[in-house]
Amino acid sequence: MKELYTRIQKKLYYITLLIIIILMCLSLFVVHDRYEGFELGYLVHLLLVILFATCLIIYPKYEIQAIRIAIITIGSIYFYVLFYLYPETSSTFIFLCFIPAISILFFDPRIFYFSLLLNGIFITLTFSYIMVFDEANLYPHIKNDLIGNSINFIASQVILYFLFYLSYVRVKRQQLYFEQVQQTERIRATGQVAAAVAHEIRNPLTVVKGFLQFYEQSMPDKDKKKKHFALMISELNTAEQVISQYLSISKPSQEKRLETLNVKETLKSVTDLLKSYGLLYDNEINLYVEDQCYIRGNGIELKQVLINIIKNAIEASKKGDTVQVRAKKRKEFIEIEVVDRGCGMTDTEIHALGTPFYSLKSKGTGLGLMICYNIVEKFNGTLQFSSSKDEGTTVTLTFPVIKNS
Ligand code: ADP
Ligand code: MG
């Protein structure tokens, strides 16, 4: 599973991209002989190759709508320009039919319909041009059977539409399933923490209750009263804080908005919440975070990752051990380390991490790390384990740094 979300997709993308770029360069090389030097047609061809390749190369870095639209538009123009520049290569018509296939990769209906529309407009203009202006008869294969070619073109667009529709429905369903699993796992993890949280809240409540009972029976003097009220308010504040930290992770969140996250604040609230969980097993959490660590992500999802990893560290630790949580700012990224001196893992066990339902615990689901890998990948980060059996484990998370104040 972890490979699915981290390595393969990007590797596959870049390998395919490399092949496409090689083919485009090859076509530039092959057609070069047809020109005398750098004529306008050749320069346009060259420019489009550069633009198209650049958009495809930068796309994984900035997965934004503007670049997707640019890829579709420049890609369409590129193939139509090839069609006009090299009429003798009649097979280019096949590419024109399949241009919207590029947009299937983005799984965005708006981009796909935009591509279909653009292709419809371009082909109408092209067929009209051929019928009216193609006196030199450069496109006989189209001109001689315009109706047949039009039907074929429409049929290809319908096939692409079905392909898009079927794969889109499938991906949507998978996404929904994954979100449900993620939600369930979060509820489970927070359910386990709940016992410790309840314990934490009971202490301040006992203090406040004790004072109130005391007042019920005898009224102390003014100064003492003031001190007691201050203590009651501070205890209730603690309880309130614990409840809100708990709610901030257990509540369902449909919103997956990316925002600027202060790593120090997030780690502090997660470790505060898990402190009581650690105390159940006599484990302490030691936190050291550098200032000014900001990353881009979704707050609830980042907390979900940290809770699972720190919870795993506590669960792996022996009674009385300390779990270290550190966050440092490197040049290009923020590094978060969770170190335990617990049971550790063998290489085979490390390799299995992230596989759905892989768990060595009697009450584990083995979904926590699968979800962590997915979230970390979404934030363009990495998640690595280094561990030796019976010695302990270090989990290292990295996220691209963003400058903020
Ligand atoms: P769960 O916690 O429900 O078992 P996870 O996906 O969070 O599921 O973890 C999967 C397995 O990875 C755990 O059952 C445990 O065997 C192993 N593991 C994770 N973190 C550690 C750690 N810090 N030390 C030792 N083993 C770990
Ligand atoms: Mg876990």
Side-chain angles (χ1 to χ4, degrees):
M1 202 68 175
K2 105 185 117 169
E3 279 86 2
L4 186 71
Y5 288 117
T6 52
R7 271 170 259 141
I8 285 188
Q9 278 185 345
K10 275 199 177 142
K11 209 167 143 191
L12 195 72
Y13 179 86
Y14 283 114
I15 290 174
T16 318
L17 185 60
L18 187 71
I19 296 172
I20 292 174
I21 292 177
I22 290 174
L23 287 172
M24 290 198 296
C25 293
L26 206 67
S27 86
L28 271 174
F29 180 72
V30 168
V31 298
H32 189 248
D33 290 346
R34 303 184 199 179
Y35 293 98
E36 289 162 13
F38 286 91
E39 286 178 30
L40 182 66
Y42 190 74
L43 287 178
V44 171
H45 185 168
L46 179 71
L47 182 72
L48 283 167
V49 168
I50 295 171
L51 279 176
F52 195 36
T54 311
C55 287
L56 290 171
I57 291 169
I58 62 171
Y59 176 64
K61 217 164 176 199
Y62 315 92
E63 284 187 40
I64 50 171
Q65 203 73 332
I67 299 190
R68 292 187 194 122
I69 293 175
I71 288 176
I72 300 300
T73 314
I74 295 171
S76 304
I77 295 174
Y78 172 70
F79 286 116
Y80 277 91
V81 164
L82 287 189
F83 181 78
Y84 282 108
L85 287 179
Y86 315 111
E88 63 283 11
T89 318
S90 55
S91 55
T92 311
F93 182 58
I94 301 172
F95 281 113
L96 302 191
C97 294
F98 284 96
I99 288 172
I102 307 172
S103 59
I104 292 181
L105 302 174
F106 301 136
F107 291 114
D108 181 340
R110 280 169 307 173
I111 297 272
F112 181 71
Y113 297 140
F114 167 72
S115 176
L116 272 187
L117 182 73
L118 196 68
N119 208 22
I121 294 172
F122 280 176
I123 206 75
T124 312
L125 292 175
T126 303
F127 281 3
S128 311
Y129 166 81
I130 292 172
M131 289 316 286
V132 180
F133 298 107
D134 183 24
E135 277 161 13
N137 207 18
L138 292 172
Y139 302 94
H141 54 288
I142 292 189
K143 211 171 180 179
N144 293 343
D145 186 9
L146 189 72
I147 294 178
N149 279 309
S150 302
I151 291 173
N152 279 352
F153 178 80
I154 293 168
S156 67
Q157 306 305 287
V158 172
I159 291 170
L160 286 180
Y161 174 76
F162 274 113
L163 282 178
F164 172 75
Y165 181 75
L166 291 178
S167 45
Y168 180 67
V169 168
R170 218 185 146 140
V171 164
K172 269 270 148 214
R173 220 180 276 152
Q174 260 176 2
Q175 234 171 24
L176 197 71
Y177 172 71
F178 185 77
E179 268 163 27
Q180 280 167 352
V181 171
Q182 184 177 350
Q183 185 79 28
T184 316
E185 170 62 18
R186 184 159 62 219
I187 291 167
R188 190 194 70 94
T190 46
Q192 287 177 342
V193 178
V197 167
H199 186 256
E200 193 89 329
I201 296 169
R202 204 172 50 189
N203 288 345
L205 289 185
T206 316
V207 173
V208 175
K209 200 175 137 196
F211 278 123
L212 289 177
Q213 278 168 342
F214 172 60
Y215 284 125
E216 204 183 22
Q217 284 154 17
S218 60
M219 276 308 228
D221 64 61
K222 211 173 164 202
D223 262 6
K224 244 187 185 166
K225 218 157 66 181
K226 231 177 166 176
K227 238 165 72 192
H228 289 173
F229 271 105
L231 190 59
M232 284 197 280
I233 291 170
S234 128
E235 291 291 320
L236 284 178
N237 276 343
T238 312
E240 196 183 15
Q241 227 176 359
V242 174
I243 294 173
S244 45
Q245 276 159 1
Y246 179 74
L247 289 178
S248 80
I249 52 157
S250 62
K251 72 174 179 202
S253 94
Q254 290 307 323
E255 210 166 310
K256 293 288 157 67
R257 205 159 36 90
L258 293 186
E259 54 207 350
T260 300
L261 302 174
N262 184 333
V263 175
K264 190 169 187 167
E265 273 173 20
T266 312
L267 273 175
K268 178 117 187 29
S269 92
V270 169
T271 47
D272 277 351
L273 182 67
L274 286 175
K275 249 179 197 148
S276 36
Y277 185 68
L279 288 179
L280 284 183
Y281 305 90
D282 246 348
N283 297 128
E284 253 182 65
I285 304 174
N286 215 326
L287 178 67
Y288 171 77
V289 195
E290 281 181 6
D291 282 324
Q292 305 293 322
C293 292
Y294 293 95
I295 62 167
R296 206 163 165 68
N298 175 279
I300 289 191
E301 289 187 320
L302 179 64
K303 281 182 183 170
Q304 189 173 5
V305 170
L306 295 169
I307 282 174
N308 186 46
I309 289 171
I310 300 173
K311 208 166 137 285
N312 279 348
I314 293 172
E315 284 159 357
S317 295
K318 293 181 283 296
K319 211 168 181 306
D321 273 356
T322 302
V323 171
Q324 307 271 352
V325 180
R326 297 190 282 254
K328 282 182 222 131
K329 194 172 171 183
R330 303 259 182 230
K331 209 167 173 202
E332 301 273 317
F333 52 86
I334 302 288
E335 186 182 88
I336 303 174
E337 273 184 340
V338 178
V339 187
D340 69 68
R341 309 227 132 272
C343 61
M345 289 173 279
T346 60
D347 280 351
T348 330
E349 283 167 2
I350 294 180
H351 204 75
L353 297 179
T355 311
F357 310 114
Y358 170 77
S359 175
L360 298 180
K361 298 171 196 163
S362 54
K363 283 189 185 154
T365 57
L367 290 173
L369 287 178
M370 179 197 84
I371 290 164
C372 291
Y373 273 114
N374 186 268
I375 295 174
V376 169
E377 162 78 1
K378 213 162 46 176
F379 298 173
N380 290 324
T382 62
L383 170 55
Q384 280 161 338
F385 287 81
S386 98
S387 184
S388 11
K389 197 77 190 159
D390 298 325
E391 277 180 29
T393 306
T394 300
V395 186
T396 312
L397 283 156
T398 64
F399 297 103
V401 68
I402 58 163
K403 311 249 174 304
N404 209 317
S405 48

